[in-house]
Amino acid sequence: MQWIRHITGLTFIFVFVVTYFTNKFVLSVLKFTFPTLFQGWQTFIGAVLLLLSGKLGWVEISRIPRSAALSWLPGSFLFVGNIYAGSRALSRMEIPFFFTLQNSSHVVSDVILKAAYGEKLQWLRLLSLCLMLLSAINLPFYDPQFDQSGYQWAVVHLLCTGAYRVFKVRHRPSSLSDLEQQYINYLFSVLFLALAAHPTGDLLGVLEFPFLGSHTFHGGCCASALLGFLLLMATVRLKSGFSLEHFGVWIFMSKVTATCLSPFIFNMDLNVPSLLCVMGSHAAEALLVYSQREAQL
């Protein structure tokens, strides 16, 4: 029924917004800037909950062939780069600015598809990509709280996100479902981030973290891990119930909702030029979704 589909979409928006706000709170307000531990914890809990859900029959996770798992490892590596750089960037950038840079990952995806596979771009999609890129390029010049490191990590994040999107479409093993892909991502991330915790200094640095014994910190970390898993499940449910263009609409609405609500939750320093960059990026994303609809007709 139609109302059930809307409830699914609204649930996704709610989980999406709360997840980003919780992560932002832990990373920026509590200043827990140890991404190997933060993301390692999230992916470990995600792997455990996904495995438990499969054992209980709530989701279907089959035995993963070794060949399929090995063929997916490049995607897992991009996934780690995505979440690690994303945490670094989100800890130093406001949520609206983060989404403005993140949207440019579509430019990366389409450049790869054009260069490697010769895919043609319709003029409407090309226009949206140009507007996304223009908004992202101009934003650092008008950001009142410009942080060079934050933007550098945001660039790494959008590069990994764009490349991962292409890999997921072009190199997905036919024997792996979305949840099985994510399960491999989780396991690889836990191993990789655990090995990286000491060389990056996060393992020693966390011992001096002032909120280590705080109930607020413990609650925020537990909530972020649980919400990350719920967002995965909501995303899979949304993808299975909607077409690609409708799925894009719900993603767009989620980002706009988070952007509009974030000034009421976090202290933000905004100005008119930076807001125009944010609005331009969201307008470009809406145009991109519309171009996908036109391509299906």
Side-chain angles (χ1 to χ4, degrees):
M1 297 177 64
Q2 194 68 26
W3 64 272
I4 296 180
R5 289 162 58 87
H6 289 315
I7 289 177
T8 302
L10 292 173
T11 301
F12 174 81
I13 291 178
F14 175 78
V15 176
F16 181 95
V17 172
V18 176
T19 299
Y20 269 93
F21 282 5
T22 302
N23 288 342
K24 180 65 176 174
F25 174 77
V26 175
L27 293 168
S28 293
V29 178
L30 296 182
K31 301 185 183 303
F32 189 72
T33 53
F34 305 101
T36 56
L37 300 178
F38 184 64
Q39 292 298 338
W41 161 255
Q42 286 191 330
T43 52
F44 172 73
I45 296 299
V48 170
L49 292 177
L50 194 54
L51 179 61
L52 181 62
S53 299
K55 294 294 184 181
L56 294 175
W58 296 344
V59 297
E60 185 176 349
I61 299 181
S62 306
R63 182 178 179 85
I64 301 174
R66 182 180 299 179
S67 58
L70 290 175
S71 67
W72 185 253
L73 285 184
S76 295
F77 183 79
L78 290 171
F79 175 80
V80 174
N82 176 359
I83 61 175
Y84 181 88
S87 288
R88 287 284 194 186
L90 188 60
S91 67
R92 297 171 178 269
M93 299 176 65
E94 306 297 350
I95 287 178
F97 299 162
F98 177 79
F99 285 147
T100 300
L101 271 292
Q102 188 186 68
N103 284 346
S104 298
S105 65
H106 291 284
V107 178
V108 176
S109 298
D110 282 48
V111 167
I112 294 175
L113 289 172
K114 179 65 176 178
Y117 302 100
E119 286 199 4
K120 295 181 179 180
L121 295 177
Q122 58 177 153
W123 69 271
L124 201 59
R125 185 178 182 88
L126 182 60
L127 179 61
S128 68
L129 295 176
C130 290
L131 183 55
M132 279 183 184
L133 188 59
L134 185 64
S135 300
I137 290 175
N138 281 281
L139 179 60
F141 298 104
Y142 300 111
D143 185 350
Q145 296 177 311
F146 174 76
D147 185 299
Q148 182 176 350
S149 178
Y151 277 89
Q152 289 173 343
W153 283 113
V155 170
V156 176
H157 171 67
L158 70 91
L159 290 173
C160 290
T161 302
Y164 180 77
R165 186 182 295 116
V166 174
F167 185 86
K168 190 175 177 67
V169 173
R170 289 288 179 172
H171 301 281
R172 169 180 175 172
S174 58
S175 58
L176 293 179
S177 66
D178 286 341
L179 288 177
E180 288 164 351
Q181 291 172 23
Q182 194 61 30
Y183 185 62
I184 298 172
N185 288 343
Y186 280 155
L187 294 179
F188 180 83
S189 300
V190 171
L191 177 62
F192 186 88
L193 293 171
L195 293 175
H198 181 67
T200 58
D202 287 4
L203 196 59
L204 296 177
V206 73
L207 298 177
E208 301 176 0
F209 183 64
F211 295 102
L212 192 60
S214 167
H215 293 298
T216 302
F217 169 70
H218 294 158
C221 286
C222 291
S224 67
L226 178 60
L227 286 167
F229 173 74
L230 293 178
L231 182 59
L232 167 66
M233 302 305 292
T235 302
V236 172
R237 179 68 181 272
L238 196 68
K239 280 184 175 181
S240 64
F242 291 88
S243 62
L244 180 62
E245 60 268 22
H246 283 97
F247 175 73
V249 170
W250 288 110
I251 292 288
F252 166 74
M253 292 175 62
S254 299
K255 290 182 180 179
V256 170
T257 302
T259 296
C260 293
L261 292 179
S262 57
F264 299 100
I265 306 299
F266 304 101
N267 292 324
M268 299 175 57
D269 189 6
L270 304 172
N271 55 30
V272 173
S274 63
L275 282 177
L276 289 176
C277 291
V278 173
M279 293 171 61
S281 181
H282 285 309
E285 187 179 15
L287 189 61
L288 184 67
V289 173
Y290 180 75
S291 71
Q292 291 174 338
R293 178 179 178 273
E294 289 294 301
Q296 297 297 321
L297 297 178

